[in-house]
């Protein structure tokens, strides 16, 4: 009986020791994780410094971002039956074409050739996935998916312009153009949020 | 009137009195007809459309004043009335779509709220104040 009790006690102690060891391992994993996160942050910061956006990158992002919304608008014009969605899509095509033309005219004047970077690649890839999805939808499902994406897309682009492009722009005329197109993106965001609340 | 005055015999005082009466009556008629004519343009105001805003967004004018909206944005805009503030809220497109640097003028007869039909977050207000 006593032996049995001792065995149980010994087993309990072993279990406790194992648990403590596991807990210690878990703590270590967290610690290593935290260090890795910090290191990654440092590496990212260094990479960002090394890969600071040039005016050529900014030009590529502006061209790419406008083309993406024009393309989505053309799909909405073709597939939606909702007059409000169609009207919004037409406004997106008109306005983003105007921004695109202004941007192309400016970079031509400045002699800047747009150079793609990882941000343009990411935006393009997401856009292709979104367009592929849109092409499988119809009716209210299409309208909701289109307008929800317009809301999130405009939020993203506004953030990129405000936090990355404007601070990074070297040429003052390019910086001024970026500042002047922001109200358009903000008006578009408010417009699609209005539609989003109704459909 | 002046031909009639030159042919008159001014030696007869009653004819002179009649002439004065006719001139006064004609002036009276003229002043009455001005009051009944539609209000003429009194002051010209300019509202600039810039950075997706109407500037000024709120404008006080007198009845008969003229407002010109000038689009300084790269994108087209229009003036769409949302009706008299207290009477109705029907959307009425007042101007065509104004491309960049285009303008639209109208004489104001009553107060109204308006927006850009293409970008409904852009809003403005015209308030007619008493003369």
């Amino acid at each position: 009986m006593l032996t049995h009790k001792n065995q149980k006690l010994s087993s309990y102690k072993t279990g406790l020791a194992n648990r403590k060891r596991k807990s210690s391992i878990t703590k270590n994993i967290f610690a290593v994780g935290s260090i890795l996160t910090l290191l990654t942050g440092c590496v990212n910061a260094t990479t960002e410094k090394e890969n600071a956006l040039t005016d050529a990158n900014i030009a590529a992002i502006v061209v790419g971002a406008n083309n993406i919304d024009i393309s989505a608008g053309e799909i909405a014009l073709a597939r939606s039956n909702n007059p409000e969605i169609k009207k919004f899509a037409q406004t997106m095509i008109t306005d983003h074409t105007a921004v695109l033309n202004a941007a192309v005219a400016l970079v031509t004047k400045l002699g800047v050739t747009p150079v793609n970077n990882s941000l343009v690649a990411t935006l393009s890839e997401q856009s292709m996935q979104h367009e592929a999805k849109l092409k499988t939808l119809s009716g209210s499902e299409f309208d909701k998916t289109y307008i929800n994406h317009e809301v999130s897309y405009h939020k993203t682009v506004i953030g990129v312009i405000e936090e990355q492009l404007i601070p990074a722009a070297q040429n003052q005329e390019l910086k001024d153009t970026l500042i002047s197109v922001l109200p358009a993106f903000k008006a578009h965001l408010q417009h699609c949020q209005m539609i989003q609340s109704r459909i | 009137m002046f031909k009639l005055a030159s042919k008159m015999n001014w030696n007869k005082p009653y004819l002179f009195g009649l002439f004065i009466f006719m001139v006064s009556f004609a002036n009276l008629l003229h002043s009455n007809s001005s009051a009944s004519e539609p209000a003429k343009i009194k002051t010209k105001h300019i509202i600039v459309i810039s950075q997706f805003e109407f500037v000024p967004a709120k404008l006080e004018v007198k009845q008969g004043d003229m407002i010109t909206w000038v689009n300084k944005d790269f994108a087209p805009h229009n003036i769409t009335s949302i009706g008299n503030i207290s009477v109705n809220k029907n959307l009425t497109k007042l101007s065509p779509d104004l491309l960049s640097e285009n303008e639209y003028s109208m004489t104001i007869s009553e107060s109204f709220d308006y927006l850009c039909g293409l970008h409904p977050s852009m809003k403005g207000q015209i308030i007619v104040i008493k003369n």
Side-chain angles (χ1 to χ4, degrees), chain A residues 25-60:
Chain A
I25 289 168
T26 315
K27 274 181 191 167
N28 285 340
I29 287 171
F30 275 123
V32 170
S34 303
I35 291 164
L36 278 176
T37 310
L38 283 171
L39 281 175
T40 315
C42 290
V43 170
N44 282 344
T46 313
T47 314
E48 273 168 20
K49 267 189 182 175
E50 283 169 0
N51 299 330
L53 288 173
T54 62
D55 285 357
N57 293 143
I58 293 170

Side-chain angles (χ1 to χ4, degrees), chain A residues 87 91-92 94-96 98-99 102 179-181 183-188 190-191 194, chain B residues 50-53 73-78 80 91 99 116-123:
Chain A
K87 192 179 171 189
T91 301
M92 292 306 102
T94 307
D95 288 2
H96 287 290
V99 176
I179 293 168
S180 73
V181 299
F185 283 89
K186 288 182 177 175
H188 292 169
Q190 287 183 48
H191 192 178
M194 279 182 214
Chain B
S50 173
Q51 302 277 291
F52 282 65
E53 283 182 6
D73 268 342
F74 61 86
H77 297 292
N78 66 42
T80 300
L91 290 178
L99 299 178
C116 167
L118 301 170
H119 310 98
S121 60
M122 295 170 59
K123 288 177 181 162

Side-chain angles (χ1 to χ4, degrees), chain A residues 88 151 154 158 183-197, chain B residues 120-123:
Chain A
F88 175 79
V151 170
H154 278 89
I158 289 167
F185 283 89
K186 288 182 177 175
H188 292 169
L189 174 61
Q190 287 183 48
H191 192 178
C192 56
Q193 282 174 327
M194 279 182 214
I195 300 172
Q196 187 185 42
S197 67
Chain B
S121 60
M122 295 170 59
K123 288 177 181 162

Side-chain angles (χ1 to χ4, degrees), chain A residues 44-103:
Chain A
N44 282 344
T46 313
T47 314
E48 273 168 20
K49 267 189 182 175
E50 283 169 0
N51 299 330
L53 288 173
T54 62
D55 285 357
N57 293 143
I58 293 170
I61 294 164
V62 172
V63 170
N66 282 292
N67 271 328
I68 285 169
D69 214 39
I70 293 168
S71 182
E74 282 165 352
I75 295 171
L77 268 189
R79 294 188 76 86
S80 178
N81 295 316
N82 182 323
E84 200 172 17
I85 292 284
K86 278 179 172 289
K87 192 179 171 189
F88 175 79
Q90 183 56 61
T91 301
M92 292 306 102
I93 294 169
T94 307
D95 288 2
H96 287 290
T97 302
V99 176
L100 187 63
N101 291 341

Side-chain angles (χ1 to χ4, degrees), chain B residues 57-109:
Chain B
K58 184 176 174 180
L59 183 64
E60 290 187 347
V61 299
K62 289 182 177 171
Q63 193 175 46
D65 283 2
M66 177 180 271
I67 299 178
T68 300
W69 284 265
V70 185
N71 183 11
K72 290 286 179 188
D73 268 342
F74 61 86
H77 297 292
N78 66 42
I79 315 302
T80 300
S81 166
I82 20 181
N84 187 298
I85 304 157
S86 56
V87 180
N88 63 58
K89 287 280 178 189
N90 293 331
L91 290 178
T92 311
K93 194 174 172 184
L94 300 177
S95 79
D97 292 348
L98 303 172
L99 299 178
S100 186
E101 299 299 330
N102 282 14
E103 58 183 53
Y104 174 76
S105 300
M106 67 180 282
T107 306
I108 304 302
S109 57

